[in-house]
Amino acid sequence: MQARTLQLTRNFVAGASLLVFFAPMLLAQEAVTDLNRDNYEDALSRGLYEEAEAAAKARLDQAIRTGQVKELSTAELLGDLADVQRLSGNFDSALQNYELAIEIVEAERDMLNLALTGPLLGIGRTYLESGRPDLALDYLN
């Protein structure tokens, strides 16, 4: 029994040591994420679409690097990137990113999930703003 207790103690100490080692890095990553989100929102509100797109791409890149490729949060980030691309007139890229967001939501949830509302409306707005109201109607309905 003492050997088991000793092993559990060693595991606890090793785990605590790892936490002490990695905690500053995790906090730094969170601070970068918050800064990129703030930069995105600020640039978007001021109509600085290139800056907003760069911040959105940085947020998306960080999510992908941390293994969040197929999560709803990544779908939201794709939607943010697509929104700024639509606003800046980059309609093809916006459509691709909205569609990727839809694929993630459908794979993680289902085809009737509320999280689909943003990307579907985004596709409709993109078609409308690009001069294709005939294609926009189905998505906006």
Side-chain angles (χ1 to χ4, degrees):
M1 192 64 158
Q2 287 180 337
R4 176 89 173 123
T5 303
L6 184 60
Q7 183 61 39
L8 288 173
T9 303
R10 286 181 184 153
N11 289 346
F12 176 79
V13 170
S17 297
L18 286 174
L19 181 61
V20 168
F21 179 74
F22 286 114
M25 287 185 263
L26 294 174
L27 291 173
Q29 274 186 330
E30 188 174 319
V32 169
T33 300
D34 291 344
L35 180 63
N36 283 332
R37 182 179 49 247
D38 292 345
N39 288 344
Y40 168 79
E41 291 172 359
D42 181 56
L44 190 62
S45 70
R46 295 187 306 147
L48 303 172
Y49 300 133
E50 287 182 23
E51 287 181 28
E53 185 173 356
K57 286 179 179 178
R59 293 171 64 206
L60 184 60
D61 181 58
Q62 185 176 14
I64 291 169
R65 280 188 284 116
T66 58
Q68 301 173 11
V69 177
K70 297 288 184 185
E71 294 186 20
L72 288 180
S73 60
T74 303
E76 291 176 23
L77 295 174
L78 283 164
D80 288 348
L81 176 58
D83 287 343
V84 74
Q85 289 170 329
R86 175 181 52 82
L87 291 168
S88 67
N90 189 352
F91 300 123
D92 291 334
S93 294
L95 289 171
Q96 288 176 339
N97 286 315
Y98 285 131
E99 289 170 4
L100 284 172
I102 289 169
E103 287 176 21
I104 291 171
V105 172
E106 288 178 344
E108 290 299 308
R109 299 293 187 221
D110 58 51
M111 296 178 70
L112 297 175
N113 193 280
L114 190 59
L116 292 170
T117 305
L120 289 171
L121 288 174
I123 289 175
R125 289 181 186 125
T126 302
Y127 280 133
L128 192 61
E129 292 171 17
S130 67
R132 295 296 313 264
D134 55 315
L135 296 175
L137 191 57
D138 288 338
Y139 291 96
L140 295 175
N141 282 334

